[in-house]
Amino acid sequence: WAKFLQGYYDASGIASDSFDQAVQFSGSGDPQLTPLMQEKQIQLQTSVSASLFYLGFNMLDNVVGGDSDRARKLRQAISIAVDYEEFIAIFANGRGVAAQGALPPGIFGYQEGEAGINPVVYDWQKDHPQRKAIEQAKQLLAEAGYNNGIDPKTGEALLLYFDTTAVGTDDRALMNWYRKQFEKLGIQLVIRGTDYNRFQEKMRTGAAQLFVWGWNADYPDPENFFFLLYGPNSKVKQGGENAGNYANPQFDRLFEQMRNMPNGSERQKIIDQMQNIVRQDAPWLFGYYPKDFALFHSWYHNLKPARMIVNRLKYSRIDSQDREQKRQQWNQAQFWPVIVMGLGLAGLVWPVIRAYRRRQQETQND
């Protein structure tokens, strides 16, 4: 980070411990560079990545899984209660966008604005999506048979189990946050931390109930995300990438029809239907799309976000003269600290030398 500020690196990401030094948010929530960055004419580039992090339900589970109205309304209630806008603000430094469906921005089929919101979780208010009130989640929970979060079979708070590999000291705050989200509904979330191998085994055998998963696009097509919900790709039954083992015959038929179609209005209609199905079934809490923040010096030109290509560097242009000029300006040698330290050291040593000489003279006189 220091080398970047000195001009010895042309570009830099932003680590959490230096984020506040580089970026501040306006009253409307827009990211802006701090005065220090502006003074150095540094450029900020932000882009939503073609990735998705979600909280999944094991659809083979007797409590949260299945296609019954009870299980569906339980999942919908939890989808409203878990506030991913708050998650992004606390744990991602604001670097994310709450997800409205299975497709991230930049992938064909993603819809902007009101047409693209998840109506189960959000209302459209004042030109932006607004998460539904927790009272509506509680109403759905009551309709599912868990009034105030009470499991009628036990007469106590409904217990749900969250399997995770986040077992380090730094992960405690995150796990506590998840517990508090479920506590809004009166549900007790039990964290089951484990190592990665054991976690993978649970996923393969369907022993996990709730889990967090993610996906980075391999290629820019909606098929690369919807196949994560395609029934024949079930992780338990087929060893596929459908980690939650979701299966809906109507969704599967639409997927098979959509996956090899060219982009166009007909494909968009089918994608909209698929999005509506998974929003209603809620096999995932759609979570968020990560947002990339990158800093570039003023001499770095031809900037354009392009996560899906690997040859971006050949289009970049560096003004080497401007870079050299600013490096010299920012890194001029400062000798006065050395002089001050030398004088200070001399001031400390001189009394010692005088005392030593005086002692020597007294010894010789004796």
Side-chain angles (χ1 to χ4, degrees), residues 336-353:
W336 66 264
V338 178
I339 296 172
V340 170
M341 289 179 63
L343 293 174
L345 184 61
L348 293 172
V349 172
W350 178 243
V352 177
I353 295 174

Side-chain angles (χ1 to χ4, degrees), residues 1 12-25 29-32 44-49 51-53 84-99 287-295 307:
W1 177 245
S12 173
I14 313 177
S16 297
D17 55 358
S18 55
F19 188 84
D20 292 339
Q21 188 180 358
V23 177
Q24 59 190 10
F25 289 92
D30 296 323
Q32 299 176 341
L44 171 66
Q45 183 187 85
T46 65
S47 62
V48 180
S49 63
S51 306
L52 172 67
F53 287 97
Y84 267 97
E85 287 82 4
E86 183 179 280
F87 175 96
I88 293 166
I90 296 174
F91 298 104
N93 289 116
R95 288 179 283 187
V97 177
Y288 73 104
Y289 314 121
K291 197 172 186 178
D292 294 330
F293 279 47
L295 300 174
R307 286 292 300 271

Side-chain angles (χ1 to χ4, degrees), residues 2-131:
K3 298 285 274 186
F4 169 72
L5 294 181
Q6 291 173 311
Y8 291 108
Y9 293 147
D10 300 313
S12 173
I14 313 177
S16 297
D17 55 358
S18 55
F19 188 84
D20 292 339
Q21 188 180 358
V23 177
Q24 59 190 10
F25 289 92
S26 66
S28 60
D30 296 323
Q32 299 176 341
L33 289 170
T34 60
L36 171 64
M37 301 294 108
Q38 294 178 24
E39 182 182 344
K40 290 180 173 289
Q41 298 180 320
I42 289 172
Q43 309 167 81
L44 171 66
Q45 183 187 85
T46 65
S47 62
V48 180
S49 63
S51 306
L52 172 67
F53 287 97
Y54 61 89
L55 190 153
F57 298 98
N58 179 7
M59 297 298 283
L60 302 178
D61 184 79
N62 292 330
V63 178
V64 300
D67 60 357
S68 66
D69 285 340
R70 177 199 58 78
R72 186 179 298 108
K73 289 182 177 181
L74 172 60
R75 295 191 298 268
Q76 291 176 349
I78 295 171
S79 299
I80 296 171
V82 180
D83 188 344
Y84 267 97
E85 287 82 4
E86 183 179 280
F87 175 96
I88 293 166
I90 296 174
F91 298 104
N93 289 116
R95 288 179 283 187
V97 177
Q100 301 291 334
L103 299 181
I107 302 296
F108 180 81
Y110 174 82
Q111 294 271 40
E112 296 278 358
E114 185 175 4
I117 71 166
N118 180 357
V120 173
V121 179
Y122 292 88
D123 295 317
W124 187 256
Q125 295 182 359
K126 299 180 180 178
D127 299 326
H128 71 277
Q130 179 67 45
R131 185 174 291 272

Side-chain angles (χ1 to χ4, degrees), residues 47-54 102-105 107 213-228 241 284 288-292 307-309:
S47 62
V48 180
S49 63
S51 306
L52 172 67
F53 287 97
Y54 61 89
L103 299 181
I107 302 296
W213 211 263
W215 189 258
N216 297 316
D218 299 306
Y219 44 90
D221 192 88
E223 185 272 342
N224 193 228
F225 285 88
F226 281 135
F227 90 112
L228 302 171
E241 293 296 341
W284 295 348
Y288 73 104
Y289 314 121
K291 197 172 186 178
D292 294 330
R307 286 292 300 271
M308 298 304 297
I309 64 172

Side-chain angles (χ1 to χ4, degrees), residues 62-240:
N62 292 330
V63 178
V64 300
D67 60 357
S68 66
D69 285 340
R70 177 199 58 78
R72 186 179 298 108
K73 289 182 177 181
L74 172 60
R75 295 191 298 268
Q76 291 176 349
I78 295 171
S79 299
I80 296 171
V82 180
D83 188 344
Y84 267 97
E85 287 82 4
E86 183 179 280
F87 175 96
I88 293 166
I90 296 174
F91 298 104
N93 289 116
R95 288 179 283 187
V97 177
Q100 301 291 334
L103 299 181
I107 302 296
F108 180 81
Y110 174 82
Q111 294 271 40
E112 296 278 358
E114 185 175 4
I117 71 166
N118 180 357
V120 173
V121 179
Y122 292 88
D123 295 317
W124 187 256
Q125 295 182 359
K126 299 180 180 178
D127 299 326
H128 71 277
Q130 179 67 45
R131 185 174 291 272
K132 292 181 184 290
I134 192 65
E135 286 72 21
Q136 292 180 259
K138 292 179 178 178
Q139 177 61 37
L140 284 169
L141 193 66
E143 293 174 8
Y146 302 103
N147 194 33
N148 295 320
I150 301 300
D151 186 346
K153 294 180 180 179
T154 63
E156 299 179 351
L158 175 63
L159 286 178
L160 295 181
Y161 298 91
F162 180 50
D163 286 278
T164 178
T165 58
V167 295
T169 303
D170 295 339
D171 297 313
R172 290 177 183 174
L174 175 59
M175 295 301 105
N176 286 333
W177 181 84
Y178 275 116
R179 287 192 188 97
K180 290 178 181 178
Q181 302 305 300
F182 283 77
E183 285 174 1
K184 297 176 188 176
L185 299 174
I187 297 173
Q188 183 177 346
L189 186 67
V190 179
I191 307 295
R192 297 194 296 199
T194 184
D195 62 74
Y196 188 69
N197 289 336
R198 175 61 179 147
F199 175 75
Q200 289 279 35
E201 182 183 349
K202 285 186 174 184
M203 296 300 295
R204 286 193 298 268
T205 59
Q209 191 176 50
L210 282 77
F211 57 93
V212 168
W213 211 263
W215 189 258
N216 297 316
D218 299 306
Y219 44 90
D221 192 88
E223 185 272 342
N224 193 228
F225 285 88
F226 281 135
F227 90 112
L228 302 171
L229 294 161
Y230 182 48
N233 285 340
S234 168
K235 184 168 287 291
V236 171
K237 297 178 181 179
Q238 303 294 334

